[in-house]
Amino acid sequence: YYSENYQLDNIIYAQGCYLHDNRNRMVQNFLKSDSEWLLQIDTDIVFDATIIDNLLNLALRHNAKLVGAWYMNIVQGKYIPMLYAQKAEVLHYILPSENQDVSVDACGLACFMVHREVFEKLSNQTAQSWFYFLEKNNKLVSEDLTFCLNARKTGYEIWIDSNLKLKHMKLVGIPKNGEINAKYYILV
């Protein structure tokens, strides 16, 4: 697959145990470049190269600076979409309708594209890094949700194309006689 719409010459990667530190290092390096968009794809996401054009087209359709694909995760043994709507300071999972672009309050960032302007504006408004964990009501709020909520507070909309559902690779244990005897990767 090849597209003349973009040039893939500024590839930035980060590795390490702490996802929020990796994301922050990527943004620091990204801001040293002259690139307009940062596409983040986690290593446990299955995608194809058309995702770049699809996300750029989504951004153009809505004049959006934050766009992403969506995926499922396993939380406490349940399959849940990594898309959220906020009501009365509480985030609720939402499942998008088919063939729709959806504005969300927050989402998982495993396949997400951010315009440079967002990072620059957030840099000017907060002393914190772009991605960080936060404790709220005795619960830990992940780095992707704090980023999304800060971007929304700054006035940016987050758009998801419901047709861009990706597979998420998860390691699960299979219990037998009360013990985990085998672990398997599954795609959710």
Side-chain angles (χ1 to χ4, degrees), residues 48-121:
D48 66 42
T50 62
I51 195 68
I52 299 171
D53 279 335
N54 289 328
L55 291 175
L56 286 171
N57 287 330
L58 177 61
L60 289 172
R61 284 196 301 273
H62 299 283
N63 193 27
K65 304 295 183 188
L66 299 163
V67 293
W70 71 285
Y71 54 96
M72 302 292 282
N73 201 356
I74 301 174
V75 175
Q76 298 175 342
K78 296 179 183 177
Y79 295 97
I80 57 166
M82 294 285 89
L83 299 173
Y84 304 88
Q86 188 173 22
K87 295 177 186 166
E89 298 291 319
V90 177
L91 289 173
H92 300 274
Y93 300 115
I94 59 172
L95 187 63
S97 301
E98 291 184 24
N99 302 316
Q100 283 190 340
D101 296 345
V102 182
S103 177
V104 298
D105 291 313
C107 62
L109 300 182
C111 183
F112 199 70
M113 205 155 73
V114 182
H115 192 274
R116 164 183 292 278
E117 172 187 306
V118 177
F119 293 123
E120 291 172 343
K121 193 167 186 181

Side-chain angles (χ1 to χ4, degrees), residues 71-168:
Y71 54 96
M72 302 292 282
N73 201 356
I74 301 174
V75 175
Q76 298 175 342
K78 296 179 183 177
Y79 295 97
I80 57 166
M82 294 285 89
L83 299 173
Y84 304 88
Q86 188 173 22
K87 295 177 186 166
E89 298 291 319
V90 177
L91 289 173
H92 300 274
Y93 300 115
I94 59 172
L95 187 63
S97 301
E98 291 184 24
N99 302 316
Q100 283 190 340
D101 296 345
V102 182
S103 177
V104 298
D105 291 313
C107 62
L109 300 182
C111 183
F112 199 70
M113 205 155 73
V114 182
H115 192 274
R116 164 183 292 278
E117 172 187 306
V118 177
F119 293 123
E120 291 172 343
K121 193 167 186 181
L122 287 175
S123 294
N124 294 331
Q125 296 200 358
T126 179
Q128 300 240 13
S129 56
W130 299 278
F131 300 97
Y132 57 92
F133 289 89
L134 177 68
E135 188 174 332
K136 187 173 184 178
N137 300 327
N138 294 322
K139 292 185 180 182
L140 195 61
V141 180
S142 68
E143 89 291 342
D144 44 4
L145 299 183
T146 57
F147 174 80
C148 288
L149 295 174
N150 286 334
R152 294 280 296 135
K153 284 180 195 170
T154 309
Y156 291 101
E157 288 187 320
I158 300 167
W159 285 93
I160 303 295
D161 181 338
S162 68
N163 294 320
L164 301 180
K165 182 178 182 227
L166 303 178
K167 295 292 184 182
H168 190 199

